[in-house]
Structures are given as structure tokens and as C-alpha cells.
Amino acid sequence: MNDVVNPAINMFDNQGSESDSDHCGHLLAKLERPLSFIGEKRNRFIIFEGKWVNVDHLMEEASNDPRIRNKMMPGLMERLGEIKDELSNGCMRKEEAIDLFEEGVAIKRAIHLLNSGSIRKEDDPHGDIRRWLNYGKRIS
């Protein structure tokens, strides 16, 4: 009887699971999309110039001084490249990959805001989702 029960339990435990490298590849593909930050969970802190920094504070600084905005862009692009390289290697646990993905999403959002010039603090945590839904309603 144990021979029958154990395979069934193992079958359900492994159902839908994917290897860590597959998961990294999936997250990298999501991060490569142009507007991948819309509707995705993101970190509040990123590694910028070798230290952990609050993204909202960076955006506030950039909104006050355009020179700071121009200095930030290469550092953000470099960090995003590092995250993509780490995800492409796929040699990490799923939790680490998710953390890197969420940091990458925060960086992509910051880059988008810097490029579009619409740097403002977003009080609504679901603002990205609402904008995306409104966009969907307009085009349908």
C-alpha cells in the first residue's frame, strides 16, 4: 500500500515545480519586457553605487535637480545590466531570483520615470495597476 501512496504524494509535490534555472529564465524574460514594471511587486531599496538606497529618495533627489538625474541614469542602467546577467546565469535559489527581479522592476520603473520626466511620488501602491487598466479600457 505504501508503494501506491508514496508515488502519488510525490507526483503532487512536484506538480508545477520548475528548476531554479528555469525560474531565473522566466523572470529574466519578464524583466526584458518594455513595461514589465507595471503591476509587478517591486522593492523599495536597490543597490546604487555600491550601497542600498531607497528608490523614492533617489527619485526625490532627481526631481529637484536635473544634473542629479543625468548622473543617476548610467548607474541605474549598469545595475539593471548586472541583475540581468545574474538572472541569465541561473545559479541561485528561487527566492534570490525573485528578490533580484523585484529590484530590477524598481530600477526599470525609476529609469522610465527619469526618461519620461514625470518624477513624482506615488502615494497609491496600486497606481501602476490602475493606469494599466485605464489604458486597457482606452484601447479596447
Side-chain angles (χ1 to χ4, degrees):
M1 179 102 176
N2 286 339
D3 293 336
V4 175
V5 173
N6 287 339
I9 291 172
N10 290 337
M11 180 181 73
F12 290 116
D13 287 343
N14 294 331
Q15 187 177 11
S17 67
E18 57 185 327
S19 72
D20 292 345
S21 62
D22 290 342
H23 192 68
C24 288
H26 172 72
L27 291 176
L28 179 61
K30 282 176 70 172
L31 195 58
E32 291 288 341
R33 290 187 219 140
L35 297 176
S36 62
F37 58 89
I38 295 176
E40 291 289 342
K41 183 179 175 190
R42 60 183 174 262
N43 289 344
R44 291 201 177 279
F45 291 89
I46 62 171
I47 295 178
F48 184 71
E49 297 178 349
K51 58 186 174 188
W52 287 99
V53 182
N54 188 327
V55 178
D56 294 332
H57 294 257
L58 281 178
M59 294 296 100
E60 286 176 22
E61 288 178 22
S63 67
N64 295 333
D65 189 356
R67 291 176 293 166
I68 293 175
R69 183 182 322 166
N70 294 336
K71 288 165 107 177
M72 274 186 205
M73 190 61 76
L76 291 172
M77 295 296 285
E78 180 181 342
R79 179 61 184 150
L80 184 61
E82 291 171 2
I83 289 172
K84 288 179 180 179
D85 288 342
E86 288 182 45
L87 285 174
S88 67
N89 290 337
C91 300
M92 64 185 73
R93 295 186 341 243
K94 287 182 184 181
E95 296 82 14
E96 294 170 339
I98 289 170
D99 287 340
L100 272 177
F101 172 74
E102 290 175 356
E103 182 183 351
V105 167
I107 292 171
K108 280 192 76 167
R109 178 180 173 270
I111 290 170
H112 176 75
L113 291 175
L114 289 172
N115 283 335
S116 68
S118 62
I119 303 170
R120 62 175 170 33
K121 187 169 180 175
E122 189 176 293
D123 295 329
D124 184 8
H126 302 291
D128 284 340
I129 295 171
R130 287 194 179 107
R131 278 193 298 282
W132 184 249
L133 290 173
N134 288 335
Y135 172 73
K137 288 176 187 175
R138 283 193 311 264
I139 64 170
S140 59

